[in-house]
Amino acid sequence: MKGALKPNLVKSLTSSNSSSSLPRPHKLPLFHFHTNTKPHFVAKLRTCKDLASAASTHSNLLKFGFSNDTIATNHLINCYLRLFRIDNAQKLFDEMPQRNVVSWTSLMAGYVGQGQPNLALCLFRHMQGTFVLPNEFTFATLINACSILVNLEIGRRLHALVEVSGLQSNLVACSSLVDMYGKCNQVGEARRIFDSMCTRNVVSWTSMITTYCQNAQGHSALQLFKEFNHSGLDRQNHFMLSSAITTCASLGSLGAGKITHGVVIRLGHDASDVIASALVDMYAKCGCFNYSSKVFRRIPIPSVIPYTSMIVGAAKYGLGILSLQLFQEMVVRRIKPNDVTFVGVLHACSHSGLVDKGLELLNSMNGKYGVTPDAKHYTCVADMLGRVGRIEEAYELAKSVRVEGDEYAMLWGTILSASRLYGRVDIALEASNRIIESNQEVAGAYVTLFNAYALAGDWENAHNLRSDMKHTGVYKEPGSKKMLSLLRELEERMKERGYVGGTKGLVFVDVEEEAKEEVVSLHTEKLALAFGRCHNQNT
């Protein structure tokens, strides 16, 4: 009979040993032996760290008749999922005579964890055809799948099911809903759910803080972080601290960043790879690259994330040689670069004029490092070529790659800017037409093309283009009134100190000198200066 023990084995287990000090046990019935061994196998599965041990325990479960036991099989499924053997987990699941909510949820979580959220949602549709009802962990797993896919429609349906199931105040389900709505840029809905929660923990607070941070509402994120700190409800974990530091980076708020860094040190999270990477990025964006370097060099075993943050930070400061040195250090330490690492190092080559090295890196990405170049990398290289006047090469590169949407506009916008700078009106015309046809950044394309015509002295086409802009209703958005007011204030102070404005080469139409000064006063660099002043006043 399947699962039965051999008589001599039972005898050996129940017989006494004269040399033993233990009392003589009573003969145990077979079913009692099974009851005692099942927790042992479950414990082994919970601590299993390799496939060989999992297979051995799986074999023993079959040998002792647990092949149809739902709880034991659930633990075996989870063990295979931890070892990234979802094929084994799926096969076990398919063979189960009886599945409970843990069986379904475990496999769904496995697919989400291995980057296949669509399969998790598909599995849930099959589950709905059974008598098994989802619990809060099922919903949290599925809502997480929607977060990854940024699928608001299915996310809303799951939210409705959460309400119908009576879990509208459940901590686990609601925390996942806050995160999902945040990923889908629905900040208001995320906040409404957060406010409606009867109880909150560090996870729910972190989800809301991250939602604000990811949706360019940094001040609200920091305010909520302060509220959590003053509430005394729980201790900040490294995810919350990382979000707060990222927020400080996006705001360029060095003071708040240093305060948060102090909290990190006080709570002993300064060794965290994720937090260290966020600190490196924050200090670089706040203009303190030396601090970035100090934080980075204190990381015992840095991974690709802090290395990439340093490479990107060095690139932004024009330290191309340092970026390349850090990249080479990564390679020597056998740390595999990712796509973001290559964006950073190509950006460094672009801003440091290291064209040949940049082209060498682009050509080696796929074959040597297993990273396929995408639109971001090609845009960096196009910018790199354009900066040194190699417009034809940049143009041919742009034509040879296939990109869509915003990335398409970014690539051809780079070609448009470079061709305008070097007076290549023919390439500028094609680049602007491609951008206009894509319906992305149309106003900027028109303005840049107008400037290209004007710089080349082609006034007829310049005026015709301006007429077309008026006819189609295309216009460049002006800066805010506050920015313009600050800009005029700065202009007056500069004149008081002897500044004499220049207009030569910056205004391409025949207008009065006073009007020229007005146009020049709204030049991009000066607008950036005014924006910086506005930003500092707000922070």
Side-chain angles (χ1 to χ4, degrees), residues 113-126:
Q114 296 194 30
Q116 300 181 72
N118 276 318
L119 291 181
L121 295 174
C122 182
L123 197 61
F124 179 62
R125 284 192 286 272
H126 289 296

Side-chain angles (χ1 to χ4, degrees), residues 124-286:
F124 179 62
R125 284 192 286 272
H126 289 296
M127 179 183 172
Q128 288 180 298
T130 71
F131 292 104
V132 180
L133 296 176
N135 61 18
E136 64 267 35
F137 299 106
T138 314
F139 284 122
T141 301
L142 295 166
I143 293 164
N144 186 27
C146 292
S147 297
I148 295 167
L149 295 168
V150 195
N151 192 321
L152 181 60
E153 182 183 352
I154 297 179
R156 289 191 193 279
R157 291 181 199 167
L158 289 168
H159 185 183
L161 288 174
V162 168
E163 298 274 346
V164 170
S165 302
L167 297 170
Q168 62 270 26
S169 298
N170 181 270
L171 180 64
V172 175
C174 287
S175 295
S176 60
L177 282 170
V178 170
D179 180 68
M180 183 274 294
Y181 280 122
K183 293 286 196 310
C184 295
N185 302 324
Q186 303 296 311
V187 181
E189 291 193 54
R191 184 65 202 230
R192 277 192 290 275
I193 293 170
F194 180 78
D195 290 338
S196 70
M197 294 173 70
C198 300
T199 57
R200 306 181 191 121
N201 62 6
V202 67
V203 176
S204 46
W205 282 83
T206 301
S207 295
M208 194 63 230
I209 290 168
T210 305
T211 291
Y212 279 130
C213 178
Q214 291 173 343
N215 288 276
Q217 297 187 31
H219 294 292
S220 297
L222 288 183
Q223 179 59 39
L224 199 63
F225 180 61
K226 289 176 185 176
E227 288 179 25
F228 178 83
N229 292 339
H230 293 150
S231 68
L233 296 173
D234 208 342
R235 293 185 68 180
Q236 306 93 330
N237 61 18
H238 65 283
F239 295 111
M240 177 181 282
L241 291 167
S242 177
S243 291
I245 294 164
T246 302
T247 300
C248 296
S250 66
L251 293 172
S253 180
L254 181 60
K258 285 184 174 180
I259 291 170
T260 309
H261 190 179
V263 175
V264 166
I265 294 170
R266 180 166 54 83
L267 295 177
H269 288 299
D270 46 322
S272 165
D273 202 53
V274 175
I275 289 181
S277 301
L279 285 168
V280 167
D281 181 62
M282 183 272 293
Y283 280 124
K285 286 180 177 175
C286 291

Side-chain angles (χ1 to χ4, degrees), residues 374-389:
D374 60 22
K376 299 186 294 293
H377 305 108
Y378 291 122
T379 300
C380 283
V381 174
D383 178 64
M384 178 178 67
L385 293 167
R387 284 173 180 267
V388 296

Side-chain angles (χ1 to χ4, degrees), residues 62-129:
L62 295 175
K63 180 179 178 181
F64 289 107
F66 292 112
S67 58
N68 293 334
D69 186 277
T70 301
I71 294 174
T73 306
N74 285 343
H75 282 285
L76 189 55
I77 286 173
N78 279 315
C79 178
Y80 280 128
L81 290 174
R82 282 200 317 276
L83 299 171
F84 303 104
R85 292 305 302 264
I86 200 161
D87 52 339
N88 292 26
Q90 179 69 65
K91 188 173 185 297
L92 274 171
F93 179 85
D94 291 338
E95 293 171 351
M96 290 179 76
Q98 289 186 320
R99 306 167 186 140
N100 61 13
V101 66
V102 176
S103 317
W104 289 92
T105 304
S106 295
L107 193 57
M108 290 175 198
Y111 279 118
V112 172
Q114 296 194 30
Q116 300 181 72
N118 276 318
L119 291 181
L121 295 174
C122 182
L123 197 61
F124 179 62
R125 284 192 286 272
H126 289 296
M127 179 183 172
Q128 288 180 298

Side-chain angles (χ1 to χ4, degrees), residues 306-319:
Y307 260 110
T308 299
S309 296
M310 275 296 291
I311 287 169
V312 171
K316 287 178 180 177
Y317 281 86
L319 303 173

Side-chain angles (χ1 to χ4, degrees), residues 18 41 71 211 277 407 425 509:
S18 58
F41 290 134
I71 294 174
T211 291
S277 301
E407 293 178 334
V425 178
V509 291

